Amino acid sequence: TWISTGLAIEEAQIALLIEVRRIGRRSTETQRLDIARQRDRLQGQIDGFARSALTHLGEGFDADDEPEDLDVDILDDLDDDPADFIETSHTWTNSPELTVIPLPSNLGVDRCRRCMAEDLIPLEMSLREGQANDALHNLRIYLCNKAILFRTTVRQANSQALKTRAWSQVTSVQQAVSLHASIYTKTRKQMMRLEPGQDQLQKYKPLLREQLKISTAVGDPNA
């Protein structure tokens, strides 16, 4: 559906934001070219989505009205402030990863009603619930994988080469943790804009960074 396409675009935006943050300003030419290709592909998807918005939202919708930057909290278990990555990387205000696409949750309930698109609100809410459930499921899997890596691969690495390889695996898993945690947080934020019911408020609670940390005993070889 049109809304599910929008949710997929939003996830691609979050993934690209995390990638841009990861490589920072000290990126190689190959990395910069890869980011440029991803941005071109993402921009094409956003343009197509915005054009099709007229079909679903009617003539009362203006695709160029009130442009703003995407509001995303990048979550990981690091101690630095994840909100600082925009100032320390090659992301600027008109980057496609920061473009807000015209989903009902971005337009707001009142505006959807004015556009005679109120029927899209429960549809997006239903899809958002599925998106949140998927993100939480994936998050649990990768946190378990991270704990297992510490118990086995990291703890048993008895040479510098093995330690380097082990921590590379941990970093890869941590990037997946950050992605799915950020997707869940963004999804929940959008759900709150769709006038959720009490059951949804109880079920989908804020995700805290402390919840992304595995037990320190897991990573302590003397524990």
Side-chain angles (χ1 to χ4, degrees):
T1 66
W2 177 69
I3 292 180
S4 61
T5 299
L7 268 56
I9 290 174
E10 194 177 79
E11 290 189 5
Q13 289 178 302
I14 294 171
L16 185 52
L17 280 167
I18 292 174
E19 178 66 11
V20 170
R21 177 195 178 203
R22 184 184 67 82
I23 64 176
R25 291 189 179 278
R26 297 180 180 178
S27 56
T28 65
E29 183 176 356
T30 300
Q31 289 173 323
R32 289 193 294 271
L33 287 172
D34 181 58
I35 292 296
R37 283 193 292 267
Q38 291 187 61
R39 280 177 170 154
D40 286 344
R41 182 167 59 250
L42 183 57
Q43 187 63 61
Q45 294 171 344
I46 291 172
D47 290 343
F49 185 83
R51 285 192 298 269
S52 62
L54 293 172
T55 302
H56 299 274
L57 298 174
E59 296 181 357
F61 167 71
D62 182 357
D64 296 323
D65 187 30
E66 298 179 1
E68 57 180 329
D69 286 346
L70 187 70
D71 182 17
V72 177
D73 295 319
I74 305 299
L75 291 186
D76 52 31
D77 65 354
L78 304 177
D79 293 328
D80 60 329
D81 184 356
D84 289 341
F85 78 100
I86 293 178
E87 285 75 32
T88 59
S89 61
H90 290 292
T91 296
W92 50 90
T93 54
N94 62 345
S95 295
E97 62 267 31
L98 290 177
T99 300
V100 175
I101 58 177
L103 285 164
S105 56
N106 286 327
L107 299 176
V109 172
D110 291 340
R111 189 173 175 188
C112 285
R113 288 169 178 158
R114 291 197 301 270
C115 292
M116 304 298 289
E118 191 173 359
D119 59 318
L120 295 178
I121 296 172
L123 177 57
E124 182 178 350
M125 178 63 83
S126 177
L127 291 171
R128 288 289 184 184
E129 288 189 74
Q131 186 182 38
N133 292 336
D134 288 345
L136 289 174
H137 174 72
N138 290 326
L139 189 55
R140 293 187 189 101
I141 290 175
Y142 282 107
L143 284 173
C144 287
N145 288 346
K146 186 177 179 181
I148 291 171
L149 277 174
F150 272 111
R151 287 195 183 102
T152 57
T153 309
V154 173
R155 181 175 294 185
Q156 296 172 9
N158 53 14
S159 70
Q160 188 59 46
L162 289 176
K163 288 179 181 178
T164 300
R165 187 181 306 167
W167 281 106
S168 176
Q169 290 178 275
V170 170
T171 299
S172 178
V173 171
Q174 180 52 42
Q175 289 170 2
V177 168
S178 178
L179 173 62
H180 294 296
S182 301
I183 288 173
Y184 173 79
T185 299
K186 177 60 176 174
T187 299
R188 183 186 179 278
K189 184 178 294 184
Q190 298 303 109
M191 291 171 69
M192 296 304 104
R193 297 174 176 174
L194 295 171
E195 298 183 350
Q198 192 61 37
D199 290 345
Q200 292 159 324
L201 290 173
Q202 288 294 324
K203 184 176 181 180
Y204 301 102
K205 296 183 178 180
L207 184 64
L208 304 177
R209 195 180 302 189
E210 289 72 20
Q211 294 173 301
L212 304 182
K213 293 181 181 293
I214 60 174
S215 171
T216 54
V218 172
D220 184 0
N222 298 315

